[in-house]
Amino acid sequence: MDADTTLVVGALFVALAVPALIAAWADQHKPVVGTLLLFGGCAMIAFAWRMAGGYSPAALPDVLYRVIGNMMG
């Protein structure tokens, strides 16, 4: 997996972690899945950041569209 795809998947994991953590907090359960998604997503983002040499905030939408375009064909 290249750095762009790793960054996008990591961001997706972090985005999915937020509702999982809120749901676990509301139901008073242990936030196991949310925590795993959050830590895994942050690790993937950090790995992609180091692998690519850093991203600027303005480049992130271009990275997202490039990954979606590569997946679409």
Side-chain angles (χ1 to χ4, degrees), residues 12-64:
L12 179 66
F13 281 2
V14 170
L16 290 174
V18 173
L21 289 170
I22 292 172
W25 175 71
D27 293 338
Q28 297 184 359
H29 291 252
K30 292 181 181 178
V32 175
V33 174
T35 304
L36 289 174
L37 282 172
L38 183 66
F39 287 153
C42 288
M44 290 178 80
I45 290 171
F47 179 71
W49 199 281
R50 290 183 56 114
M51 193 165 50
Y55 290 98
S56 67
L60 294 180
D62 293 332
V63 171
L64 176 67

